[in-house]
Amino acid sequence: EDEMKTAQANLTRTEMAQPALGAVMAGLWAWLLRLGLRPDLAAGHSYGEYVALHAAGAWPLETLLQLSEARGRFIVEAAEGGELGTMLAVAADRASVQTLLGDLTGITFANHNGPSQLVLSGHPADLEVARQRLDSRDIAATPLPVAAAFHSPLVAPARERLAEFMAEVEFQAPAFAVYGNADAWPYPSDPNAIRARLGEHLVAPVRFMDEIRAMRAAGARVFLEVGPKEVLTRLTRQILGSEPHLAVATDGSGGGMIGL
């Protein structure tokens, strides 16, 4: 039992969690390829963008895992030199939250995940002020157990090291369109341009709602979530609403392969 608890604790550490997630998602992807799945385009959420690029052939599995470990380790090591903040999930639309919190400094709208699903990044004290103000308006706000204020200027200390690491990594042009979190637009084919965009990805907000809408505008109608649970599937259904589409998760409908 103690060993299990230790293993679970280790998996929540960023430098462990990211390659572990990468291994799960890449393993599911390899299996789906054996079933004959051939996507037209792809996207990831936050770290998942790395796996989406792997799926499109930008780099092999070994490189994905090396990048994943390095990304997590650089964030953790940067945190040892100072406060890297935390995150707060908010169940409300962006306009309402901006109106309520617009005068607060030090807070970044890190994730725009859906019509009524946001994540804020910032220092713990600043986010606590935001949480109290949101609570006064009966807006649900939940602190997230994360190692840093991802997708905000607070994790910038890790960006340079990540850029240096990626400079030594061989990149290939994606075989199909991979939509990016930062601008909701497909990645370019030039390896140096891919490196530059990934360097900014660490600190840029995640525009997941814009991403899904851009993919549908490009012709996507079937959205398959490749990874644990079905959070992105639920968000996609919320984003697209009554627009014709199908969203399904490999790990949905009770877990395992039931959803698929």
Side-chain angles (χ1 to χ4, degrees), residues 161-199:
R161 291 188 63 189
L162 184 60
E164 291 173 0
F165 187 90
M166 287 192 297
E168 304 300 321
V169 173
E170 184 176 348
F171 285 66
Q172 303 294 330
F176 48 80
V178 177
Y179 282 69
N181 292 164
D183 59 6
W185 199 249
Y187 266 81
S189 58
D190 177 64
N192 287 327
I194 296 174
R195 289 188 182 93
R197 283 188 61 172
L198 279 175

Side-chain angles (χ1 to χ4, degrees), residues 41-44 49 52-53 174 176-189 193-194 197-198 201 205-219:
L41 34 78
E49 193 160 301
L53 285 164
F176 48 80
V178 177
Y179 282 69
N181 292 164
D183 59 6
W185 199 249
Y187 266 81
S189 58
I194 296 174
R197 283 188 61 172
L198 279 175
H201 176 264
V206 173
R207 295 170 52 188
F208 186 73
M209 188 164 78
D210 293 338
E211 214 170 359
I212 293 298
R213 286 177 171 166
M215 293 171 75
R216 192 188 184 284

Side-chain angles (χ1 to χ4, degrees), residues 24 62 66 96 99 135 173-174 206 229:
V24 170
E62 182 179 1
Q66 290 171 345
S96 298
T99 299
D135 184 63
V206 173
K229 301 186 178 180

Side-chain angles (χ1 to χ4, degrees), residues 124-138:
D126 294 329
L127 289 181
E128 177 57 22
V129 173
R131 189 197 65 76
Q132 291 177 9
R133 189 176 294 187
L134 291 163
D135 184 63
S136 71
R137 299 294 181 89
D138 293 323

Side-chain angles (χ1 to χ4, degrees), residues 45 86-94 97 101 107-114 116-122 127-128 130-135 138-146 148-150 231 235:
H45 184 284
T86 187
M87 305 181 85
L88 183 73
V90 181
D93 66 277
R94 181 170 183 139
V97 176
L101 305 181
I107 292 177
T108 298
F109 283 72
N111 293 178
H112 191 187
N113 291 332
S116 59
Q117 214 284 328
L118 305 170
V119 179
L120 308 179
S121 283
L127 289 181
E128 177 57 22
R131 189 197 65 76
Q132 291 177 9
R133 189 176 294 187
L134 291 163
D135 184 63
D138 293 323
I139 297 175
T142 307
L144 299 179
V146 294
F150 294 106
V231 174
L235 289 173

